[in-house]
Amino acid sequence: MRKILVVGAGQSGLQLALGLQSHGYEVTLMSNRTADEIRSGRVMSTQCMFDTALGHERDLQLNFWESQAPKTEGLGVSVAAPGSHDPGPTQRAIDWVGRLDGYAQSVDQRVKMAGWMDAFAERGGRVVIHGAAVGDLDYFSRAYDLVLVAAGRGELVSMFTRDPERSPYSEPQRALAVAYVHGLAPRPEHPEFDAVRCNLVPGVGELFVMPTLTLSGRADILFWEGIPGGPLDVFNGVKDPAEHLVLTLELMKRFTPWEYARATKAELTDSRGTLAGRYTPTVRNPVGRLPGGGLVLGVADVVVANDPITGQGANTAAKCAAAYLASILEHGDKPFDEEWMQATFDRFWDDTARHVTKWTNAMLMPPPEHILNLIGAAGQLQPVADRFANAFNAPADFENFFYDPEKTGAYLTSVAGA
């Protein structure tokens, strides 16, 4: 029986560990926190998983909360009118919602990761609670056929060198602030179904609102992405969760009053329901070298860390885990050498990560005219809104109608003609 060590208990690490376990591998999971510590800790993310990523969980029968989590059936975009937010009330220049072909869902990672870790242990998996350092992996690697590093923060990431050709940014592009709340009213434009709402405030940043399942049941996530140094970049150093929520709502009232109107009764889900920070989007080389000569393979955001502006983090992690699992199963009893590691990453990059990275990096920049035209046209042409929404599930489709002005123009002409 082949022995595999998975370091990191997030979406990709746990999905891989459980998937390998189900195929008879002897898997050890290393985490710096217990399941109970994860469950009682601070929120970790703003995950919204679309149909393909949810399918990977269903394939492994890990969709434990599918019947409880809100079913997100749409994705909407609102764009604030230029200059309308300061001074005076903000108006919307654009507002529309596209319908998803398959619903999306969000489960608070405190719920999901704790539950998955418990399931892994109950099924006979070995869990080691230890904050691994490079020296630890140097020791452990000798006992395993393969070491997978799925812990996207801390010292271990330093083993994976930055890929400058795929990493155009050298500093954070957004200041991030998250609040999980109860008491948010439905969007009046579509009270009969849930949707992720993307609110774009040109020159300032973005507000994302998404339904989720948290420890205390149904909730909503309020997620500000602020351009560094701008009016949204005010959460650094805010430690009090109540103050964090007050700031969140004040900014909503100023920049997205149409969202604030349904948030007047919002309350934090719990005292650990806020998060703030920033990080630099980076693509890294996938093979890490240990001091003793051993090799480890980086997983998901260890090697492809995109800004969350396109909501792809958990989706990409799930797709990475699925791709790596397939590659491991196909490899059989052959050694997990450097050539295999690079080829495994390359397949994931070509099929998934390159599309997400290109789209995310494009969305961090001021949009060119043809993209503004596309987003505006979606308010008049429902098929355009629907296609844009469904591309969040399959970002490769943006190649066909988003980046190139000629392709965008041809697409809009064809839809308008139809």
Side-chain angles (χ1 to χ4, degrees), residues 44-55:
M44 297 180 281
S45 65
T46 58
Q47 68 295 316
C48 179
M49 299 187 68
F50 295 90
D51 187 54
T52 299
L54 293 175

Side-chain angles (χ1 to χ4, degrees), residues 83-91 253-254 257:
S84 65
H85 51 266
D86 194 11
T90 307
Q91 302 298 322
K253 187 175 183 179
R254 177 179 174 187

Side-chain angles (χ1 to χ4, degrees), residues 223-271:
F223 175 34
W224 276 114
E225 286 224 359
I227 294 174
L232 302 179
D233 188 4
V234 294
F235 290 89
N236 187 35
V238 176
K239 303 298 183 185
D240 178 33
E243 182 184 353
H244 183 113
L245 179 60
V246 168
L247 270 175
T248 297
L249 296 175
E250 286 177 349
L251 293 169
M252 290 173 66
K253 187 175 183 179
R254 177 179 174 187
F255 293 107
T256 59
W258 57 89
E259 293 287 15
Y260 176 76
R262 63 184 182 126
T264 55
K265 297 181 180 179
E267 299 178 345
L268 288 177
T269 57
D270 61 280
S271 63

